Amino acid sequence: MLNFAFQIPTKIYFGRDEQKNIGAYLKQYNPALRKLLLHYGSDRIKRCGLFDEIAASLEAAGIAFAELGGVVPNPRVGLVYEGVELCRREGVELILAVGGGSAIDSAKAIAYGALYDGDIWEVYQKGINLGKALPVAAILTIPAAGSESSKSSVITNEALELKYGHSEEVARPVLSVVNPALFATLPRAQAAYGIADIMSHIFERYFTNTAHTDVSDELCEGVLRAVMRNAPAVVNGPGGYDAWCEIAFAGSLAHNDLLGRGREEDWACHHIEHELSAVYDIAHGAGLAVLTPFWMTYVYQRNIPMFLQFATKVMGVEMNRDAERVILEAIRRLREFFRRLGLPGTLGELGIDGSRLEEMAKKANGVAFGEEEWKQGNFVTLPWQEVLEIYRMAL
């Protein structure tokens, strides 16, 4: 096990109707808070009454707000620029994101930009560590990205067809409200994309070459099994509050850093998927559902014991003498699980052909920009040619 430091400062208020108390919770965090930016996606939060509940709670607490909607999946840097200017003009002291990972990630980018004199896109593109940001809070409406308790965010520059992440502790939300009852009306596809993203966040931490990680192994495996047990109910019905509670709790655990402590993490699948969603604007979870089984098929021979552990303890495959057959059966079961949720199994099903695969592989590894290549992943390091091979397998 590796050395580590660990702290999760996000306070999560979990349960029914907790969004109605957001004003009081924000005042507990900062009694002097006067004005915030309410940042969200579509007008769905107004049509369903959520906006009015939030506004009433903020008014009761004496907190004024400006608002900025329009966040879309794969959140755009153009809206971030707009939010930065709005925060400066309105004297905003905190950003309250209402939505899923896209809204929360956009809020984090705005929070950085409001206190930064330069171009916020450069922070994401060049990995500039700022060390400061406006505080962010969140009301979660889609469990998926885990951004409600993570320090990470991902922003897309649609003009450049680039998608980059940035992580600093200052961007981790100070508090988040998670009411699983808000998820009941999510479209089936969105629920499925969220499941794939949650599982991928765990896989990125689980597949490691670090030895003696029994505790975090068991945590990863247990959360994965719980997600797979409850996912069919929330995607295909009948769902129910209790099943959504399990998924929501898993989503936060999957990306708040707990499951990766003491072990080297991978992150190849996430990074090579970012190229797909940057160029083709597909749902992140859909891309991960396609790529993950092909990544597993490509790399499993480099660490047979790790994949045997996954096969037997997560996917429930019975152990026998033929280790490779056990592993391939586990990967088949994972692919079939995604299929039962209605997720795509190939890039072709997402409308992606082979015309830009080499371009995306080179962008994923930096060589497209004339830079020295950075290889993707730690469990298995992948040069751009191997990233390309995974893309081709996934067609």
Side-chain angles (χ1 to χ4, degrees):
M1 186 180 294
L2 305 177
N3 291 5
F4 65 90
F6 182 58
Q7 180 182 12
I8 308 175
T10 304
K11 187 169 186 177
I12 294 181
Y13 297 91
F14 191 105
R16 294 185 188 273
D17 294 328
E18 287 288 2
Q19 74 278 3
K20 296 179 181 179
N21 302 317
I22 185 63
Y25 295 150
L26 289 171
K27 277 295 188 179
Q28 289 175 22
Y29 163 71
N30 179 7
L33 179 63
R34 295 167 298 173
K35 191 167 190 178
L36 58 78
L37 174 65
L38 184 58
H39 192 41
Y40 58 92
S42 72
D43 285 341
R44 177 175 173 268
I45 70 165
K46 294 185 176 180
R47 295 193 301 271
C48 72
L50 178 58
F51 183 93
D52 289 340
E53 291 177 342
I54 296 167
S57 182
L58 294 175
E59 182 179 3
I63 303 172
F65 66 90
E67 64 174 282
L68 178 63
V71 182
V72 296
N74 303 314
R76 311 296 203 258
V77 72
L79 189 65
V80 171
Y81 291 142
E82 189 176 339
V84 167
E85 292 305 313
L86 183 58
C87 285
R88 292 171 177 171
R89 186 170 65 247
E90 297 285 338
V92 164
E93 303 163 281
L94 177 145
I95 304 174
L96 174 60
V98 182
S102 294
I104 304 170
D105 283 8
S106 184
K108 291 175 181 177
I110 294 170
Y112 288 129
L115 301 183
Y116 179 57
D117 291 334
D119 184 346
I120 188 58
W121 176 247
E122 293 181 349
V123 172
Y124 283 77
Q125 187 175 37
K126 298 178 181 179
I128 300 170
N129 195 301
L130 297 179
K132 60 182 179 179
L134 288 177
V136 173
I139 297 176
L140 188 68
T141 64
I142 304 172
S147 196
E148 68 276 6
S149 59
S150 84
K151 62 184 179 181
S152 302
S153 59
V154 181
I155 294 296
T156 298
N157 187 317
E158 62 271 37
L160 300 178
E161 293 185 330
L162 294 174
K163 183 176 180 180
Y164 290 126
H166 190 68
S167 295
E168 290 191 52
E169 197 60 48
V170 292
R172 197 186 296 267
V174 295
L175 65 89
S176 290
V177 166
V178 180
N179 174 7
L182 297 177
F183 312 149
T185 59
L186 282 176
R188 178 175 184 262
Q190 277 193 305
Y193 299 153
I195 298 297
D197 199 8
I198 290 169
M199 293 180 67
S200 183
H201 285 156
I202 303 173
F203 289 145
E204 300 286 17
R205 295 169 165 91
Y206 180 64
F207 287 101
T208 184
N209 296 310
T210 308
H212 305 296
T213 55
D214 292 353
V215 172
S216 51
D217 281 0
E218 295 282 354
L219 289 171
C220 289
E221 291 157 0
V223 178
L224 283 167
R225 290 194 301 269
V227 169
M228 295 180 71
R229 187 180 306 124
N230 288 277
V234 301
V235 174
N236 300 320
Y241 178 77
D242 290 332
W244 273 120
C245 283
E246 303 289 354
I247 297 300
F249 192 21
S252 292
L253 289 174
H255 206 36
N256 69 5
D257 295 331
L258 172 64
L259 302 186
R261 295 310 82 195
R263 58 200 297 136
E264 184 180 56
E265 301 177 6
D266 188 65
W267 296 101
C269 280
H270 261 70
H271 292 154
I272 65 178
E273 194 291 320
H274 284 170
E275 303 307 322
L276 300 179
S277 46
V279 172
Y280 293 97
D281 199 25
I282 63 170
H284 180 51
L288 290 171
V290 170
L291 289 176
T292 299
F294 289 105
W295 172 84
M296 290 180 171
T297 302
Y298 191 81
V299 305
Y300 77 86
Q301 292 177 322
R302 321 256 187 118
N303 192 327
I304 292 288
M306 184 79 247
F307 269 94
L308 281 176
Q309 184 174 323
F310 162 71
T312 57
K313 299 190 72 173
V314 178
M315 302 310 299
V317 183
E318 185 176 347
M319 186 64 182
N320 61 49
R321 295 180 185 178
D322 192 337
E324 290 206 27
R325 180 174 292 184
V326 171
I327 292 167
L328 291 173
E329 171 61 16
I331 297 170
R332 187 199 68 78
R333 290 186 185 185
L334 177 64
R335 186 178 285 112
E336 179 58 28
F337 170 77
F338 286 150
R339 283 289 195 192
R340 291 199 302 272
L341 299 184
L343 289 161
T346 67
L347 296 182
E349 293 172 52
L350 293 168
I352 298 173
D353 60 24
S355 62
R356 302 186 68 178
L357 298 185
E358 182 172 331
E359 172 195 346
M360 291 189 295
K362 289 180 175 178
K363 286 168 67 178
N365 286 43
V367 296
F369 312 113
E371 300 177 7
E372 182 178 351
E373 180 176 18
W374 61 79
K375 295 183 180 181
Q376 289 298 346
N378 293 303
F379 181 70
V380 173
T381 55
L382 301 170
W384 74 264
Q385 295 92 338
E386 294 193 71
V387 172
L388 176 59
E389 185 59 30
I390 293 171
Y391 282 149
R392 285 173 171 164
M393 289 170 62
L395 276 178

